[in-house]
Amino acid sequence: MKTLNVLLDTVDKVKGFVNTVAPLEGDIDLGSDRYVVDAKSIMGIFSLDLANPLKLTIHDPATAERLEPLLKAYVV
């Protein structure tokens, strides 16, 4: 399991993020405070507080290895 902090403070960033993670296998969660949603769900992401960094949890190590370089624009 890999955990990163990401900032998705614009609509374009949310769309780009979802387009990056959606095709990947495995569970990827995004959390704000005590709320956790599926990171592949654009509607779920918009239910979170996007003004602050979010906690991204990638449960599969192989997916985390492939995804981490693709997320450099979002990691804080």
Side-chain angles (χ1 to χ4, degrees):
M1 180 167 37
K2 176 87 173 181
T3 302
L4 302 167
N5 288 323
V6 296
L7 184 61
L8 304 174
D9 56 351
T10 67
V11 173
D12 289 332
K13 281 187 179 179
V14 172
K15 287 196 272 186
F17 177 84
V18 171
N19 288 336
T20 301
V21 300
L24 298 172
E25 298 281 328
D27 291 331
I28 305 170
D29 295 326
L30 207 55
S32 172
D33 294 323
R34 60 185 185 179
Y35 300 102
V36 177
V37 299
D38 183 355
K40 298 175 185 179
S41 167
I42 196 163
M43 293 303 290
I45 293 172
F46 279 121
S47 71
L48 300 173
D49 176 13
L50 300 179
N52 298 310
L54 304 169
K55 180 180 171 185
L56 176 68
T57 305
I58 307 164
H59 296 277
D60 179 39
T63 301
E65 203 172 293
R66 287 195 329 251
L67 186 57
E68 196 169 358
L70 301 174
L71 296 178
K72 288 188 186 232
Y74 310 106
V75 175
V76 290

